[in-house]
Amino acid sequence: NIENLQRTLERLGNLMGVIQRALGEYLEKQRSDFSRFYFLGDDDLLEIIGNSGEPGKVLGHVAKMFAGLSSARHDTVNLPEDVLTRLTAMVSKDGEIVPFHQAIDVRKHGNVKDWLKLLEDRMQSTLALLLEQAVGEDASSKVSTVSEEGQKSFVDWAKRFPAQVMILA
């Protein structure tokens, strides 16, 4: 029946519109809960939510949410039973590896937003601690960098800290 087919198609079209609106509202709610999701398209956000139990797949999207960060180092060996992976360091787009001052355990039944928020907080607190340490250890501002000893002191100090922290300090 052509008439029944037309009505069925119209009903399915209306249903599809309702589903799309509901999905849009759900994604907007996720973005309002974790503002860094605004940097992602709908497809990427759905992939993160769909793969929340697979941190390796989620980490593939980290570079889109955090400027200057390409990924995070993670460890899956010798972990408690309820931990999927342990994030141990951030990796910059230039390949610089900065260990977190405290590792992040991604739990099996945890919410992806929760550990991404923890990742954001841990990045900030780790960099803040490193900056405080770098400023405290900065002997090069007291020693002349004109002398060979002063230059060596500066280079030794600079090598102990991530580039971003060293430049800021």
Side-chain angles (χ1 to χ4, degrees), residues 143-156:
V143 178
S144 171
T145 55
V146 175
S147 72
E148 193 171 315
E149 181 183 330
Q151 289 175 357
K152 183 182 180 326
S153 172
F154 174 76
V155 170
D156 289 344

Side-chain angles (χ1 to χ4, degrees), residues 64-75:
K64 298 172 188 170
M65 293 183 277
F66 300 99
L69 189 67
S70 71
S71 187
R73 280 228 170 136
H74 55 101
D75 193 5

